[in-house]
Amino acid sequence: MPSGSEQTGNYDVVIIGGGVSGMYAVHHFREMGLSVRAYDGASDVGGTWWYNRYPGARVDGPGSPYYCFTFSDDLMEEWDWDETQSEGKDVLAYLEYVASKFDLRKDIQFETWVEDVEYDEATQRWTIGTNRGDRVTARFVICASGALSTQNMPNYEGIQDFAGEVYHTGNWPREEVSFEGKRVAVMGTGSSGIQAIPEIAKIADHVTVLQRTAQFAFPAGNRSLTEEDRQNARKAWEETKAMMVAHPGGFPHKGNELAALDFTEEERQAHFEKLWKIGSFHFFLNGYNDVATSEEANASMSNFVRGKIREIVKDPETADKLMPDHYVMTKRPILENGYWHAYNRDNVELVDLREDGIERFTENSVVTATSGEHPIDMLVLATGFDAISGTLLKLNPKGRGGVSLKDRWTERFHNFMGMTIKDFPNLFMIHGPGSPGVFYNMPLGAERQMGWIGEFIQFLEKNGHGAAEPTAESEEAWGNEVQGIANATLFPKTDSWWTGANVEGKPRYFSAYLGGGIYYMRIADIAARDYDGYTFEPTK
Ligand code: N01
């Protein structure tokens, strides 16, 4: 039994996950005076940062110090970030520090997988069972199980026969992986592959990149932070927090008022050139606000990046294969640290799977249709995740009348506000389908969703409600709102993990709330109207 395992117990709140959201949930609900118990399969806190330890993993958003908790000003005072795009290990060290400072570990049971989550209508409580034999009950369940935590595994002929080392970027080993003297194939050119490839190429004998979709990637613009930067960030912290809350993506930037269509093509290209030099997410934060909605604006940015790829990658044939043909931004924008330059190395080879598909794996190679056999010692799967809904469906809670989430979520991930589901009373999702999730600064988003849930719990207690769940009508209206916003953009036109296209058999539709900050206004408004859209049951 892992330390801290206690087998039975009755809690106010059980939290599934000990990553960024789960950690904050432990803190927040404990501060409210509620008893809490969290479970995580990892051996310590960190969630996504615990699992994704692949070479090159680093914050690839607007960066440190804004990818952090905002609930404690002490953290801002005490923690020194070294770079604007912190390495994964530094983010993990920060999360470990937070766990120690707020003594979070005492309420998180590690190396424990939640296997059963079942509602009992008679007691209005959930029973939670784990692989360690724990069986506890809770009034409220928080699914902080991660939007990107169930790995997507490819299923090519013979892949099981490959006898070399195989690693998935989303579940990278704790022990050091050596690339020295090895021939490595990397499958996947999303954010993880694009971060890992240049790092692996620096050491390995040979890297074969197996690319299914060519991607747009922008310079990360990572730089070291000086003591002066840190002090300035501390001085501006109050103002920064306010800006983050006001910004549609939760970042300390002013809203972007420039529309590409108001400028000539020459002016736009000059603007992009400036942003390319700065790097990071400035392309999206300070680019043009119509790139996601106007085909012309989108083409202008796409062409600029295609031009940059041709400029950097010396071999024209390789550059051709690297040309993305979807609308820029409609797959998750990627920040790169030497990815394009990696193709100028002699030891990096690109296989375009659209032209030269994988036929099979053998014991020691991958065989593709036209270029034939590529001998390899190691296969790195950077093939992403069954995102947003995948881990929730794996948990498969059973709600009222024994109805399972798998029964409810066949064609659509029905829910209200991306947090609650009909027939699953008092169960809450963090970063679930129907919420902004990955389209928002995720630690801040988790804090804000948890704040809303905490107030909802207080409302239930004050009014003698034992259980609350959304109505079918409110779920339908919410689903239509999410679709309505997405359909006004170019996002649903591209196959991506946002649309579920990367996983065979998954419902194909855009399930994230694209309204950004508007989401938080919407959920506040629903709360202000005494939680309109819910049905309540008196405490039994
Ligand atoms: O996963 P992905 P990821 N055969 O799904 C390909 C976040 N993140 O782990 O595009 C061959 O983006 C697939 O091809 P296609 C971030 O939000 C954050 O890279 O589906 N190829 C694609 O190229 C990101 O968006 C950080 O055609 C196959 C790749 O594998 C999200 O996590 C860092 C295949 C998967 O790309 C996921 O990123 C990293 C197959 N059978 C990630 N199946 C930060 O630093 C899939 N592919 C914060």
Side-chain angles (χ1 to χ4, degrees):
M1 201 186 303
S3 63
S5 183
E6 62 166 39
Q7 303 281 311
T8 59
N10 300 309
Y11 297 94
D12 294 320
V13 186
V14 157
I15 298 149
I16 304 170
V20 172
S21 306
M23 289 169 68
Y24 181 65
V26 169
H27 175 74
H28 185 67
F29 296 118
R30 231 167 47 180
E31 288 286 289
M32 284 176 60
L34 300 173
S35 60
V36 304
R37 184 75 168 167
Y39 297 99
D40 197 294
S43 59
D44 201 357
V45 294
T48 198
W49 298 102
W50 194 89
Y51 285 99
N52 287 262
R53 298 173 191 229
Y54 59 85
R58 50 173 74 242
V59 173
D60 71 346
S64 318
Y66 313 114
Y67 179 91
C68 65
F69 290 115
T70 65
F71 71 88
S72 159
D73 292 338
D74 288 355
L75 286 172
M76 185 63 181
E77 282 300 321
E78 293 163 13
W79 190 258
D80 284 341
W81 293 102
D82 288 337
E83 294 173 290
T84 54
Q85 317 282 316
S86 299
E87 278 191 67
K89 69 175 174 48
D90 293 339
V91 180
L92 196 55
Y94 165 78
L95 295 173
E96 287 165 358
Y97 177 78
V98 174
S100 300
K101 180 176 169 69
F102 295 98
D103 200 9
L104 302 180
R105 290 186 182 89
K106 79 172 158 63
D107 291 314
I108 309 177
Q109 187 175 309
F110 295 105
E111 294 174 13
T112 306
W113 291 100
V114 170
E115 290 187 330
D116 303 304
V117 185
E118 219 165 303
Y119 187 65
D120 177 30
E121 295 181 51
T123 58
Q124 297 174 316
R125 295 185 74 81
W126 288 90
T127 299
I128 294 93
T130 76
N131 66 334
R132 299 279 186 164
D134 308 88
R135 215 155 171 81
V136 301
T137 76
R139 238 189 107 195
F140 301 99
V141 172
I142 306 291
C143 298
S145 41
L148 294 155
S149 49
T150 294
Q151 293 101 47
N152 179 32
M153 302 301 280
N155 184 21
Y156 289 103
E157 189 188 322
I159 197 162
Q160 306 302 337
D161 303 330
F162 176 64
E165 297 162 78
V166 182
Y167 305 106
H168 193 289
T169 47
N171 191 12
W172 199 259
R174 277 5 92 205
E175 309 75 47
E176 185 144 350
V177 172
S178 167
F179 303 103
E180 198 84 49
K182 291 183 187 153
R183 296 160 303 180
V184 181
V186 181
M187 184 187 296
T189 51
S191 305
S192 305
I194 283 182
Q195 286 184 334
I197 288 161
E199 296 305 315
I200 297 174
K202 282 180 199 161
I203 305 166
D205 261 14
H206 191 264
V207 176
T208 307
V209 178
L210 302 169
Q211 169 193 274
R212 185 164 75 180
T213 304
Q215 262 281 19
F216 292 97
F218 301 82
N222 181 42
R223 64 175 179 87
S224 296
L225 287 167
T226 62
E227 190 46 37
E228 194 186 345
D229 291 328
R230 287 192 282 266
Q231 289 313 333
N232 288 340
R234 283 172 184 138
K235 271 187 229 143
W237 187 225
E238 283 309 313
E239 193 189 325
T240 303
K241 278 190 294 185
M243 278 175 95
M244 284 160 73
V245 167
H247 185 265
F251 295 109
H253 289 266
K254 295 212 171 80
N256 179 2
E257 280 166 16
L258 300 180
L261 299 191
D262 293 340
F263 295 87
T264 64
E265 185 57 16
E266 211 180 9
E267 287 166 332
R268 292 177 212 159
Q269 298 297 315
H271 185 51
F272 292 142
E273 189 64 53
K274 266 195 257 157
L275 297 173
W276 185 267
K277 288 204 178 86
I278 303 169
S280 186
F281 259 34
H282 288 282
F283 251 83
F284 314 104
L285 298 168
N286 300 318
Y288 294 114
N289 60 19
D290 47 358
V291 170
T293 50
S294 148
E295 300 207 3
E296 185 186 334
N298 197 283
S300 183
M301 190 192 272
S302 302
N303 288 336
F304 174 83
V305 183
R306 290 189 193 108
K308 281 291 171 197
I309 301 170
R310 286 203 190 283
E311 215 176 283
I312 300 170
V313 177
K314 294 198 178 114
D315 173 40
E317 254 182 62
T318 305
D320 273 349
K321 293 185 202 166
L322 288 168
M323 286 303 129
D325 61 7
H326 53 276
Y327 295 106
V328 65
M329 256 173 91
T330 56
K331 277 165 110 66
R332 158 68 147 83
I334 296 176
L335 298 187
E336 59 91 29
N337 292 281
Y339 174 68
W340 303 120
H341 288 90
Y343 289 102
N344 294 334
R345 300 178 65 106
D346 292 339
N347 67 337
V348 177
E349 172 196 9
L350 178 65
V351 178
D352 175 3
L353 300 182
R354 297 260 159 107
E355 301 281 319
D356 185 11
I358 294 175
E359 290 197 329
R360 64 183 183 282
F361 281 82
T362 71
E363 231 180 42
N364 53 12
S365 68
V366 51
V367 182
T368 60
T370 49
S371 55
E373 185 154 15
H374 304 261
I376 53 172
D377 307 299
M378 186 192 289
L379 174 61
V380 172
L381 300 171
T383 45
F385 303 89
D386 183 352
I388 313 177
S389 55
T391 307
L392 294 159
L393 281 165
K394 230 164 65 176
L395 278 171
N396 196 27
K398 319 272 184 322
R400 256 183 220 292
V403 67
S404 75
L405 193 60
K406 280 186 182 156
D407 296 333
R408 284 294 321 280
W409 280 6
T410 48
E411 319 243 303
R412 282 276 185 275
F413 309 121
H414 305 282
N415 69 74
F416 187 37
M417 295 186 293
M419 282 192 282
T420 50
I421 312 162
K422 181 182 174 302
D423 292 330
F424 295 80
N426 299 357
L427 177 139
F428 299 92
M429 303 176 286
I430 306 301
H431 300 315
S435 76
V438 291
F439 285 87
Y440 197 78
N441 185 347
M442 291 184 91
L444 179 63
E447 287 179 336
R448 297 187 76 179
Q449 283 194 316
M450 227 71 74
W452 189 94
I453 295 165
E455 284 175 16
F456 191 37
I457 290 175
Q458 281 166 342
F459 172 84
L460 299 180
E461 311 264 280
K462 194 168 131 219
N463 292 284
H465 299 312
E469 64 190 284
T471 61
E473 294 72 36
S474 54
E475 284 196 337
E476 194 181 335
W478 189 260
N480 291 340
E481 181 171 335
V482 172
Q483 291 307 290
I485 299 171
N487 289 340
T489 71
L490 300 170
F491 285 95
K493 294 185 191 279
T494 298
D495 281 350
S496 69
W497 59 260
W498 291 332
T499 63
N502 64 329
V503 174
E504 224 182 298
K506 191 165 171 168
R508 291 281 287 273
Y509 78 109
F510 198 90
S511 67
Y513 191 96
L514 274 181
I518 295 168
Y519 170 83
Y520 293 98
M521 290 183 214
R522 291 282 288 116
I523 65 174
D525 176 56
I526 286 160
R529 287 186 285 115
D530 283 349
Y531 300 92
D532 191 18
Y534 282 90
T535 56
F536 300 97
E537 194 182 70
T539 305
K540 287 185 180 163

